[in-house]
Amino acid sequence: MIRPFGWNEFLIIVMAAQWTIALSAIAFAGGGIGGLLVALARVSDIRPLRILAVGFIRVFQGTPLLMQLFLVFFGMNIFGLAINPWVAASIALTLHASAFLGEIWRGCVEAVPPGQREAATALGLKYVNRMRYIILPQATRIAVAPTVGFLVQLIKGTSLAAIIGFTELTRQGQIINNATFSPFMVFGTVAAIYFVLCWPLSLLARRMEVRFSRSTQR
């Protein structure tokens, strides 16, 4: 039975945003840890680590996120490992974020002037101390804006988790639309919530980028 789109339906969609935020937070946190490892491997002096990191990045950057969700969700079940959509989406998005953040942060590490690395080497600092005290603090400053920009893309990317049955914002919108048959109202509300979540982050990324550009010109 079709019912009208009303206040209760609106609140149900708004409440579903908490799962979008939770999934984004898990993927971003896990991707941050994985991305740091990938970035360090990419700039490592050990050739096998660099090759593995490059292969990992190319696989996840060269395939659609939707396919990655399918492979994790259905692939685990093929191997006899029962996995629910929440866990599958978290794993796939974490791996996806690790690849992209790793490449972003690799570029930020390499953007640090070579003289800094050479000076640290001349002082006798080993790789770990060189990264910890000299390179990473400077690279972090460069990385803030593109990292926040990627977070915006990650939040929007969580909508694909609806395809494997995870009930986040987009999936809840589909369910409400099936019950009310009011696609404009339902998906207009969904789009507005995504905008509210992403627009402040986009502004933050832009301000950080402008601030960094001004600081480098001084």
Side-chain angles (χ1 to χ4, degrees):
M1 180 178 178
I2 296 176
R3 65 177 188 266
F5 182 83
W7 182 248
N8 289 334
E9 286 72 24
F10 174 79
L11 289 179
I12 291 172
I13 293 175
V14 170
M15 291 301 294
Q18 66 182 318
W19 299 112
T20 292
I21 295 171
L23 182 57
S24 301
I26 290 172
F28 188 71
I33 296 171
L36 179 60
L37 296 176
V38 170
L40 292 176
R42 283 281 279 118
V43 298
S44 172
D45 297 329
I46 303 172
R47 181 177 170 80
L49 282 180
R50 294 200 305 271
I51 294 173
L52 284 173
V54 169
F56 177 82
I57 289 170
R58 286 180 178 173
V59 167
F60 282 93
Q61 286 192 347
T63 55
L65 176 56
L66 182 58
M67 295 301 103
Q68 296 164 19
L69 286 162
F70 281 156
L71 288 172
V72 172
F73 183 63
F74 296 112
M76 292 289 189
N77 284 289
I78 288 174
F79 290 107
L81 298 173
I83 186 171
N84 62 50
W86 166 256
V87 176
S90 298
I91 293 173
L93 285 166
T94 295
L95 293 173
H96 177 81
S98 296
F100 278 85
L101 288 176
E103 189 65 1
I104 290 171
W105 293 345
R106 186 273 310 166
C108 295
V109 168
E110 293 184 347
V112 175
Q116 299 290 320
R117 189 176 289 103
E118 293 167 2
T121 304
L123 291 172
L125 293 177
K126 300 297 183 183
Y127 176 81
V128 174
N129 289 331
R130 192 164 67 234
M131 284 292 174
R132 180 179 178 184
Y133 296 111
I134 306 297
I135 306 301
L136 289 183
Q138 298 180 71
T140 299
R141 225 174 124 198
I142 303 171
V144 171
T147 300
V148 175
F150 174 75
L151 176 58
V152 172
Q153 300 302 316
L154 187 64
I155 291 172
K156 291 186 286 187
T158 59
S159 62
L160 293 175
I163 303 297
I164 61 172
F166 178 66
T167 308
E168 40 67 68
L169 185 56
T170 299
R171 178 59 179 161
Q172 190 64 65
Q174 292 172 344
I175 294 170
I176 295 297
N177 181 61
N178 291 338
T180 62
F181 200 64
S182 303
F184 182 79
M185 292 297 297
V186 171
F187 293 111
T189 301
V190 170
I193 294 173
Y194 275 115
F195 181 79
V196 168
L197 292 175
C198 296
W199 184 59
L201 291 173
S202 298
L203 285 181
L204 179 62
R206 178 58 184 163
R207 286 187 179 181
M208 289 178 173
E209 187 176 357
V210 171
R211 182 177 297 179
F212 174 73
S213 298
R214 288 176 179 173
S215 66
T216 54
Q217 292 173 0
R218 291 175 182 174

